[in-house]
Amino acid sequence: MPKMMSQNMAVQPLTLTLGHLYPDQLNLYGDRGNILTLRRRCQLRGIELKVVGLGVGDALAPDEYDMLFIGGGQDKEQAPVAQDLYEMKGIGLWAAIEDDMPVLAVCGGYQLLAHYYRPAEGPDMRGLGVFDAWTEHKGPKSPRCIGNIAISWNGQTLVGFENHGGRTYLGTAKPLGKVIKGNGNNAEDQTEGAVYRHTYGTYLHGSLLPKNPHFADYLIELALQRKFADQSFTDTGIFNGNHADNAAGIGSTVLELQKTIVSPLLTPLEDSLEWEAHASILERLGLYSEAANVLRTHRS
């Protein structure tokens, strides 16, 4: 029988590590708020989220992270980032993605994970080709895709604010969701974003995660499931198998894990303000029945 930690020993929280790609260059429209939301939602459950910035010139070692985030920037900022992403971080990022690490890429970051971005002026920016998609800016006279947006996702809604001149077109890539109100990828085909394995590209700013707590928790759950892939969960969400060995190894007691990880995986939080903000965007878009359904569901 494995020995469990003494209850009077110091208990350390579960830890996840998030790599923030290009925090200085790609941080338009408050996208850093996505990381603040992830950190807070982890903290309230006794999970420590460590955030490591990865700038131009930094290599990406995939085994050092549990999640990755890349935000959006202006075209002039994306050019040096595109080169660095391809030359310095491409191999590590591809390895992380193929190993099902959750990755959230917003706006410019989303564009750079497709095949290429063709700006209004200047040469094409080569992307990693994670998504079978491409983006083209149709020139300064073409109207921007700007304003509040709501999409359907997994039987629920995601809301945000979009502001992009480029139009993204999907090849075989699966969209993140279908546009209910707004422009989405290109204001033509009602698609928004793209998905490959556990990598999610989207144009939703605003920030995305503060107004969509269900999507934030979904990403956290993916990270936990992947980190503890050699474990199995019971109906109550507690680790089976070599659970006690794992608990001692990461410096947490079984009791602490029980408080932190429960079915479906994360303990619910008091999210009334978050859902009111979500519903407010739906109301601004004239989606009153959807807003009422959201409030009714989460108040009950």
Side-chain angles (χ1 to χ4, degrees), residues 58-89:
D58 294 332
L60 195 163
D63 58 351
E64 295 181 3
Y65 305 99
D66 302 302
M67 310 173 70
L68 295 172
F69 173 76
I70 177 171
Q74 297 179 356
D75 288 358
K76 63 181 180 180
E77 296 168 325
Q78 283 184 217
V81 164
Q83 181 177 357
D84 182 84
L85 186 67
Y86 189 84
E87 296 178 356
M88 286 294 300
K89 299 180 178 61

PDB file of all heavy atoms in Angstrom, residues 58-89:
ATOM      1  N   ASP A  58      12.310  33.361 -28.358  1.00  0.00           N
ATOM      2  CA  ASP A  58      12.209  32.301 -27.354  1.00  0.00           C
ATOM      3  C   ASP A  58      11.739  31.005 -28.013  1.00  0.00           C
ATOM      4  O   ASP A  58      10.794  31.011 -28.811  1.00  0.00           O
ATOM      5  CB  ASP A  58      11.216  32.676 -26.251  1.00  0.00           C
ATOM      6  CG  ASP A  58      11.688  33.865 -25.434  1.00  0.00           C
ATOM      7  OD1 ASP A  58      12.914  34.056 -25.329  1.00  0.00           O
ATOM      8  OD2 ASP A  58      10.829  34.600 -24.904  1.00  0.00           O
ATOM      9  N   ALA A  59      12.387  29.912 -27.654  1.00  0.00           N
ATOM     10  CA  ALA A  59      11.947  28.609 -28.142  1.00  0.00           C
ATOM     11  C   ALA A  59      10.754  28.133 -27.324  1.00  0.00           C
ATOM     12  O   ALA A  59      10.520  28.583 -26.196  1.00  0.00           O
ATOM     13  CB  ALA A  59      13.093  27.602 -28.061  1.00  0.00           C
ATOM     14  N   LEU A  60       9.998  27.207 -27.889  1.00  0.00           N
ATOM     15  CA  LEU A  60       8.835  26.652 -27.208  1.00  0.00           C
ATOM     16  C   LEU A  60       9.098  25.166 -26.956  1.00  0.00           C
ATOM     17  O   LEU A  60       9.131  24.367 -27.901  1.00  0.00           O
ATOM     18  CB  LEU A  60       7.570  26.836 -28.060  1.00  0.00           C
ATOM     19  CG  LEU A  60       6.214  26.629 -27.379  1.00  0.00           C
ATOM     20  CD1 LEU A  60       5.101  27.243 -28.237  1.00  0.00           C
ATOM     21  CD2 LEU A  60       5.895  25.166 -27.124  1.00  0.00           C
ATOM     22  N   ALA A  61       9.308  24.823 -25.698  1.00  0.00           N
ATOM     23  CA  ALA A  61       9.500  23.422 -25.312  1.00  0.00           C
ATOM     24  C   ALA A  61       8.154  22.878 -24.853  1.00  0.00           C
ATOM     25  O   ALA A  61       7.677  23.231 -23.769  1.00  0.00           O
ATOM     26  CB  ALA A  61      10.530  23.316 -24.195  1.00  0.00           C
ATOM     27  N   PRO A  62       7.506  22.048 -25.651  1.00  0.00           N
ATOM     28  CA  PRO A  62       6.120  21.667 -25.365  1.00  0.00           C
ATOM     29  C   PRO A  62       5.919  20.945 -24.045  1.00  0.00           C
ATOM     30  O   PRO A  62       4.848  21.058 -23.436  1.00  0.00           O
ATOM     31  CB  PRO A  62       5.745  20.763 -26.554  1.00  0.00           C
ATOM     32  CG  PRO A  62       7.036  20.304 -27.126  1.00  0.00           C
ATOM     33  CD  PRO A  62       8.008  21.417 -26.880  1.00  0.00           C
ATOM     34  N   ASP A  63       6.920  20.213 -23.568  1.00  0.00           N
ATOM     35  CA  ASP A  63       6.742  19.477 -22.331  1.00  0.00           C
ATOM     36  C   ASP A  63       6.769  20.363 -21.089  1.00  0.00           C
ATOM     37  O   ASP A  63       6.566  19.876 -19.973  1.00  0.00           O
ATOM     38  CB  ASP A  63       7.791  18.369 -22.200  1.00  0.00           C
ATOM     39  CG  ASP A  63       9.221  18.897 -22.257  1.00  0.00           C
ATOM     40  OD1 ASP A  63       9.408  20.089 -22.576  1.00  0.00           O
ATOM     41  OD2 ASP A  63      10.145  18.110 -21.975  1.00  0.00           O
ATOM     42  N   GLU A  64       6.989  21.657 -21.269  1.00  0.00           N
ATOM     43  CA  GLU A  64       7.007  22.577 -20.133  1.00  0.00           C
ATOM     44  C   GLU A  64       5.659  23.248 -19.895  1.00  0.00           C
ATOM     45  O   GLU A  64       5.505  24.018 -18.938  1.00  0.00           O
ATOM     46  CB  GLU A  64       8.078  23.653 -20.351  1.00  0.00           C
ATOM     47  CG  GLU A  64       9.504  23.113 -20.375  1.00  0.00           C
ATOM     48  CD  GLU A  64      10.542  24.198 -20.566  1.00  0.00           C
ATOM     49  OE1 GLU A  64      10.146  25.392 -20.619  1.00  0.00           O
ATOM     50  OE2 GLU A  64      11.737  23.860 -20.668  1.00  0.00           O
ATOM     51  N   TYR A  65       4.654  22.976 -20.759  1.00  0.00           N
ATOM     52  CA  TYR A  65       3.387  23.695 -20.678  1.00  0.00           C
ATOM     53  C   TYR A  65       2.205  22.734 -20.710  1.00  0.00           C
ATOM     54  O   TYR A  65       2.295  21.615 -21.205  1.00  0.00           O
ATOM     55  CB  TYR A  65       3.276  24.705 -21.831  1.00  0.00           C
ATOM     56  CG  TYR A  65       4.456  25.642 -21.880  1.00  0.00           C
ATOM     57  CD1 TYR A  65       5.510  25.412 -22.763  1.00  0.00           C
ATOM     58  CD2 TYR A  65       4.553  26.716 -21.010  1.00  0.00           C
ATOM     59  CE1 TYR A  65       6.610  26.245 -22.791  1.00  0.00           C
ATOM     60  CE2 TYR A  65       5.656  27.551 -21.022  1.00  0.00           C
ATOM     61  CZ  TYR A  65       6.679  27.317 -21.913  1.00  0.00           C
ATOM     62  OH  TYR A  65       7.785  28.132 -21.926  1.00  0.00           O
ATOM     63  N   ASP A  66       1.089  23.234 -20.173  1.00  0.00           N
ATOM     64  CA  ASP A  66      -0.168  22.484 -20.189  1.00  0.00           C
ATOM     65  C   ASP A  66      -1.213  23.163 -21.063  1.00  0.00           C
ATOM     66  O   ASP A  66      -2.191  22.531 -21.460  1.00  0.00           O
ATOM     67  CB  ASP A  66      -0.725  22.361 -18.764  1.00  0.00           C
ATOM     68  CG  ASP A  66       0.264  21.692 -17.824  1.00  0.00           C
ATOM     69  OD1 ASP A  66       0.661  20.541 -18.117  1.00  0.00           O
ATOM     70  OD2 ASP A  66       0.659  22.325 -16.825  1.00  0.00           O
ATOM     71  N   MET A  67      -1.030  24.465 -21.336  1.00  0.00           N
ATOM     72  CA  MET A  67      -1.936  25.241 -22.180  1.00  0.00           C
ATOM     73  C   MET A  67      -1.103  26.290 -22.903  1.00  0.00           C
ATOM     74  O   MET A  67      -0.039  26.690 -22.432  1.00  0.00           O
ATOM     75  CB  MET A  67      -3.011  25.959 -21.345  1.00  0.00           C
ATOM     76  CG  MET A  67      -3.758  25.102 -20.364  1.00  0.00           C
ATOM     77  SD  MET A  67      -4.857  26.093 -19.286  1.00  0.00           S
ATOM     78  CE  MET A  67      -6.114  26.596 -20.457  1.00  0.00           C
ATOM     79  N   LEU A  68      -1.642  26.775 -24.040  1.00  0.00           N
ATOM     80  CA  LEU A  68      -0.984  27.857 -24.770  1.00  0.00           C
ATOM     81  C   LEU A  68      -2.028  28.878 -25.196  1.00  0.00           C
ATOM     82  O   LEU A  68      -3.178  28.535 -25.493  1.00  0.00           O
ATOM     83  CB  LEU A  68      -0.255  27.315 -26.008  1.00  0.00           C
ATOM     84  CG  LEU A  68       0.929  26.375 -25.764  1.00  0.00           C
ATOM     85  CD1 LEU A  68       1.408  25.781 -27.079  1.00  0.00           C
ATOM     86  CD2 LEU A  68       2.067  27.094 -25.049  1.00  0.00           C
ATOM     87  N   PHE A  69      -1.603  30.159 -25.231  1.00  0.00           N
ATOM     88  CA  PHE A  69      -2.487  31.236 -25.688  1.00  0.00           C
ATOM     89  C   PHE A  69      -1.703  32.185 -26.575  1.00  0.00           C
ATOM     90  O   PHE A  69      -0.553  32.536 -26.276  1.00  0.00           O
ATOM     91  CB  PHE A  69      -3.068  32.016 -24.504  1.00  0.00           C
ATOM     92  CG  PHE A  69      -3.844  33.241 -24.930  1.00  0.00           C
ATOM     93  CD1 PHE A  69      -5.114  33.118 -25.462  1.00  0.00           C
ATOM     94  CD2 PHE A  69      -3.289  34.506 -24.819  1.00  0.00           C
ATOM     95  CE1 PHE A  69      -5.818  34.236 -25.885  1.00  0.00           C
ATOM     96  CE2 PHE A  69      -3.985  35.629 -25.233  1.00  0.00           C
ATOM     97  CZ  PHE A  69      -5.253  35.496 -25.769  1.00  0.00           C
ATOM     98  N   ILE A  70      -2.339  32.603 -27.671  1.00  0.00           N
ATOM     99  CA  ILE A  70      -1.758  33.618 -28.549  1.00  0.00           C
ATOM    100  C   ILE A  70      -2.864  34.584 -28.951  1.00  0.00           C
ATOM    101  O   ILE A  70      -3.934  34.172 -29.386  1.00  0.00           O
ATOM    102  CB  ILE A  70      -1.074  32.975 -29.778  1.00  0.00           C
ATOM    103  CG1 ILE A  70      -0.538  34.039 -30.723  1.00  0.00           C
ATOM    104  CG2 ILE A  70      -1.998  32.009 -30.496  1.00  0.00           C
ATOM    105  CD1 ILE A  70       0.339  33.461 -31.840  1.00  0.00           C
ATOM    106  N   GLY A  71      -2.609  35.877 -28.763  1.00  0.00           N
ATOM    107  CA  GLY A  71      -3.622  36.894 -29.014  1.00  0.00           C
ATOM    108  C   GLY A  71      -3.492  37.526 -30.385  1.00  0.00           C
ATOM    109  O   GLY A  71      -2.884  36.971 -31.303  1.00  0.00           O
ATOM    110  N   GLY A  72      -4.089  38.709 -30.525  1.00  0.00           N
ATOM    111  CA  GLY A  72      -4.121  39.396 -31.816  1.00  0.00           C
ATOM    112  C   GLY A  72      -3.322  40.677 -31.796  1.00  0.00           C
ATOM    113  O   GLY A  72      -3.050  41.254 -30.744  1.00  0.00           O
ATOM    114  N   GLY A  73      -2.914  41.129 -32.988  1.00  0.00           N
ATOM    115  CA  GLY A  73      -2.157  42.367 -33.118  1.00  0.00           C
ATOM    116  C   GLY A  73      -2.396  43.017 -34.464  1.00  0.00           C
ATOM    117  O   GLY A  73      -3.080  42.457 -35.334  1.00  0.00           O
ATOM    118  N   GLN A  74      -1.838  44.198 -34.652  1.00  0.00           N
ATOM    119  CA  GLN A  74      -1.951  44.881 -35.928  1.00  0.00           C
ATOM    120  C   GLN A  74      -1.037  44.219 -36.956  1.00  0.00           C
ATOM    121  O   GLN A  74      -0.092  43.501 -36.617  1.00  0.00           O
ATOM    122  CB  GLN A  74      -1.587  46.356 -35.762  1.00  0.00           C
ATOM    123  CG  GLN A  74      -2.521  47.110 -34.827  1.00  0.00           C
ATOM    124  CD  GLN A  74      -2.123  48.561 -34.651  1.00  0.00           C
ATOM    125  OE1 GLN A  74      -1.103  48.999 -35.162  1.00  0.00           O
ATOM    126  NE2 GLN A  74      -2.933  49.309 -33.924  1.00  0.00           N
ATOM    127  N   ASP A  75      -1.329  44.488 -38.226  1.00  0.00           N
ATOM    128  CA  ASP A  75      -0.580  43.841 -39.300  1.00  0.00           C
ATOM    129  C   ASP A  75       0.924  44.072 -39.174  1.00  0.00           C
ATOM    130  O   ASP A  75       1.730  43.158 -39.380  1.00  0.00           O
ATOM    131  CB  ASP A  75      -1.058  44.345 -40.666  1.00  0.00           C
ATOM    132  CG  ASP A  75      -2.443  43.805 -41.022  1.00  0.00           C
ATOM    133  OD1 ASP A  75      -2.995  43.027 -40.218  1.00  0.00           O
ATOM    134  OD2 ASP A  75      -2.964  44.151 -42.098  1.00  0.00           O
ATOM    135  N   LYS A  76       1.320  45.303 -38.830  1.00  0.00           N
ATOM    136  CA  LYS A  76       2.748  45.617 -38.748  1.00  0.00           C
ATOM    137  C   LYS A  76       3.433  44.847 -37.624  1.00  0.00           C
ATOM    138  O   LYS A  76       4.637  44.610 -37.662  1.00  0.00           O
ATOM    139  CB  LYS A  76       2.955  47.123 -38.558  1.00  0.00           C
ATOM    140  CG  LYS A  76       2.368  47.676 -37.261  1.00  0.00           C
ATOM    141  CD  LYS A  76       2.583  49.171 -37.155  1.00  0.00           C
ATOM    142  CE  LYS A  76       2.004  49.736 -35.856  1.00  0.00           C
ATOM    143  NZ  LYS A  76       2.209  51.203 -35.753  1.00  0.00           N
ATOM    144  N   GLU A  77       2.662  44.453 -36.595  1.00  0.00           N
ATOM    145  CA  GLU A  77       3.225  43.683 -35.492  1.00  0.00           C
ATOM    146  C   GLU A  77       3.239  42.188 -35.804  1.00  0.00           C
ATOM    147  O   GLU A  77       4.024  41.435 -35.233  1.00  0.00           O
ATOM    148  CB  GLU A  77       2.414  43.938 -34.218  1.00  0.00           C
ATOM    149  CG  GLU A  77       2.481  45.386 -33.735  1.00  0.00           C
ATOM    150  CD  GLU A  77       1.450  45.689 -32.666  1.00  0.00           C
ATOM    151  OE1 GLU A  77       0.339  45.115 -32.744  1.00  0.00           O
ATOM    152  OE2 GLU A  77       1.741  46.488 -31.761  1.00  0.00           O
ATOM    153  N   GLN A  78       2.357  41.774 -36.710  1.00  0.00           N
ATOM    154  CA  GLN A  78       2.252  40.356 -37.001  1.00  0.00           C
ATOM    155  C   GLN A  78       3.395  39.853 -37.873  1.00  0.00           C
ATOM    156  O   GLN A  78       3.739  38.665 -37.809  1.00  0.00           O
ATOM    157  CB  GLN A  78       0.917  40.047 -37.690  1.00  0.00           C
ATOM    158  CG  GLN A  78      -0.264  40.032 -36.739  1.00  0.00           C
ATOM    159  CD  GLN A  78      -1.561  39.624 -37.414  1.00  0.00           C
ATOM    160  OE1 GLN A  78      -2.621  40.152 -37.108  1.00  0.00           O
ATOM    161  NE2 GLN A  78      -1.495  38.687 -38.333  1.00  0.00           N
ATOM    162  N   ALA A  79       3.982  40.710 -38.705  1.00  0.00           N
ATOM    163  CA  ALA A  79       5.015  40.256 -39.640  1.00  0.00           C
ATOM    164  C   ALA A  79       6.214  39.621 -38.927  1.00  0.00           C
ATOM    165  O   ALA A  79       6.580  38.479 -39.238  1.00  0.00           O
ATOM    166  CB  ALA A  79       5.450  41.407 -40.539  1.00  0.00           C
ATOM    167  N   PRO A  80       6.866  40.314 -37.967  1.00  0.00           N
ATOM    168  CA  PRO A  80       7.988  39.663 -37.274  1.00  0.00           C
ATOM    169  C   PRO A  80       7.549  38.468 -36.441  1.00  0.00           C
ATOM    170  O   PRO A  80       8.306  37.500 -36.278  1.00  0.00           O
ATOM    171  CB  PRO A  80       8.564  40.774 -36.390  1.00  0.00           C
ATOM    172  CG  PRO A  80       7.457  41.758 -36.220  1.00  0.00           C
ATOM    173  CD  PRO A  80       6.676  41.707 -37.492  1.00  0.00           C
ATOM    174  N   VAL A  81       6.324  38.520 -35.937  1.00  0.00           N
ATOM    175  CA  VAL A  81       5.800  37.396 -35.169  1.00  0.00           C
ATOM    176  C   VAL A  81       5.611  36.180 -36.066  1.00  0.00           C
ATOM    177  O   VAL A  81       5.929  35.053 -35.685  1.00  0.00           O
ATOM    178  CB  VAL A  81       4.474  37.784 -34.486  1.00  0.00           C
ATOM    179  CG1 VAL A  81       3.723  36.553 -34.005  1.00  0.00           C
ATOM    180  CG2 VAL A  81       4.736  38.729 -33.313  1.00  0.00           C
ATOM    181  N   ALA A  82       5.099  36.407 -37.276  1.00  0.00           N
ATOM    182  CA  ALA A  82       4.867  35.299 -38.208  1.00  0.00           C
ATOM    183  C   ALA A  82       6.167  34.568 -38.508  1.00  0.00           C
ATOM    184  O   ALA A  82       6.213  33.328 -38.534  1.00  0.00           O
ATOM    185  CB  ALA A  82       4.236  35.824 -39.496  1.00  0.00           C
ATOM    186  N   GLN A  83       7.236  35.315 -38.724  1.00  0.00           N
ATOM    187  CA  GLN A  83       8.526  34.700 -39.022  1.00  0.00           C
ATOM    188  C   GLN A  83       9.042  33.906 -37.820  1.00  0.00           C
ATOM    189  O   GLN A  83       9.518  32.779 -37.953  1.00  0.00           O
ATOM    190  CB  GLN A  83       9.546  35.763 -39.426  1.00  0.00           C
ATOM    191  CG  GLN A  83      10.913  35.203 -39.779  1.00  0.00           C
ATOM    192  CD  GLN A  83      11.881  36.283 -40.245  1.00  0.00           C
ATOM    193  OE1 GLN A  83      11.525  37.459 -40.354  1.00  0.00           O
ATOM    194  NE2 GLN A  83      13.111  35.891 -40.517  1.00  0.00           N
ATOM    195  N   ASP A  84       8.938  34.503 -36.632  1.00  0.00           N
ATOM    196  CA  ASP A  84       9.414  33.834 -35.428  1.00  0.00           C
ATOM    197  C   ASP A  84       8.580  32.591 -35.128  1.00  0.00           C
ATOM    198  O   ASP A  84       9.122  31.553 -34.719  1.00  0.00           O
ATOM    199  CB  ASP A  84       9.349  34.793 -34.241  1.00  0.00           C
ATOM    200  CG  ASP A  84       9.874  34.174 -32.955  1.00  0.00           C
ATOM    201  OD1 ASP A  84      11.091  34.192 -32.748  1.00  0.00           O
ATOM    202  OD2 ASP A  84       9.045  33.661 -32.167  1.00  0.00           O
ATOM    203  N   LEU A  85       7.282  32.699 -35.325  1.00  0.00           N
ATOM    204  CA  LEU A  85       6.397  31.570 -35.051  1.00  0.00           C
ATOM    205  C   LEU A  85       6.771  30.385 -35.930  1.00  0.00           C
ATOM    206  O   LEU A  85       6.806  29.231 -35.468  1.00  0.00           O
ATOM    207  CB  LEU A  85       4.942  31.973 -35.300  1.00  0.00           C
ATOM    208  CG  LEU A  85       3.872  30.947 -34.913  1.00  0.00           C
ATOM    209  CD1 LEU A  85       3.835  30.749 -33.402  1.00  0.00           C
ATOM    210  CD2 LEU A  85       2.494  31.387 -35.425  1.00  0.00           C
ATOM    211  N   TYR A  86       7.076  30.662 -37.191  1.00  0.00           N
ATOM    212  CA  TYR A  86       7.410  29.594 -38.125  1.00  0.00           C
ATOM    213  C   TYR A  86       8.807  29.034 -37.866  1.00  0.00           C
ATOM    214  O   TYR A  86       9.002  27.816 -37.861  1.00  0.00           O
ATOM    215  CB  TYR A  86       7.313  30.119 -39.560  1.00  0.00           C
ATOM    216  CG  TYR A  86       7.432  29.036 -40.600  1.00  0.00           C
ATOM    217  CD1 TYR A  86       6.317  28.290 -40.980  1.00  0.00           C
ATOM    218  CD2 TYR A  86       8.654  28.750 -41.189  1.00  0.00           C
ATOM    219  CE1 TYR A  86       6.424  27.287 -41.925  1.00  0.00           C
ATOM    220  CE2 TYR A  86       8.771  27.739 -42.135  1.00  0.00           C
ATOM    221  CZ  TYR A  86       7.651  27.010 -42.502  1.00  0.00           C
ATOM    222  OH  TYR A  86       7.763  26.006 -43.433  1.00  0.00           O
ATOM    223  N   GLU A  87       9.781  29.929 -37.621  1.00  0.00           N
ATOM    224  CA  GLU A  87      11.175  29.494 -37.538  1.00  0.00           C
ATOM    225  C   GLU A  87      11.593  29.040 -36.138  1.00  0.00           C
ATOM    226  O   GLU A  87      12.377  28.106 -36.002  1.00  0.00           O
ATOM    227  CB  GLU A  87      12.095  30.628 -38.000  1.00  0.00           C
ATOM    228  CG  GLU A  87      11.919  31.003 -39.472  1.00  0.00           C
ATOM    229  CD  GLU A  87      12.808  32.153 -39.884  1.00  0.00           C
ATOM    230  OE1 GLU A  87      13.502  32.709 -39.007  1.00  0.00           O
ATOM    231  OE2 GLU A  87      12.809  32.502 -41.078  1.00  0.00           O
ATOM    232  N   MET A  88      11.076  29.705 -35.094  1.00  0.00           N
ATOM    233  CA  MET A  88      11.537  29.431 -33.734  1.00  0.00           C
ATOM    234  C   MET A  88      10.594  28.517 -32.943  1.00  0.00           C
ATOM    235  O   MET A  88      11.042  27.703 -32.144  1.00  0.00           O
ATOM    236  CB  MET A  88      11.714  30.741 -32.957  1.00  0.00           C
ATOM    237  CG  MET A  88      12.940  31.533 -33.360  1.00  0.00           C
ATOM    238  SD  MET A  88      14.499  30.683 -32.958  1.00  0.00           S
ATOM    239  CE  MET A  88      14.369  30.512 -31.189  1.00  0.00           C
ATOM    240  N   LYS A  89       9.324  28.668 -33.134  1.00  0.00           N
ATOM    241  CA  LYS A  89       8.359  27.971 -32.281  1.00  0.00           C
ATOM    242  C   LYS A  89       7.550  26.916 -33.021  1.00  0.00           C
ATOM    243  O   LYS A  89       6.777  26.182 -32.395  1.00  0.00           O
ATOM    244  CB  LYS A  89       7.404  28.985 -31.639  1.00  0.00           C
ATOM    245  CG  LYS A  89       8.120  29.999 -30.741  1.00  0.00           C
ATOM    246  CD  LYS A  89       7.151  30.968 -30.130  1.00  0.00           C
ATOM    247  CE  LYS A  89       7.847  31.957 -29.203  1.00  0.00           C
ATOM    248  NZ  LYS A  89       8.847  32.785 -29.880  1.00  0.00           N
TER     249      LYS A  89
END
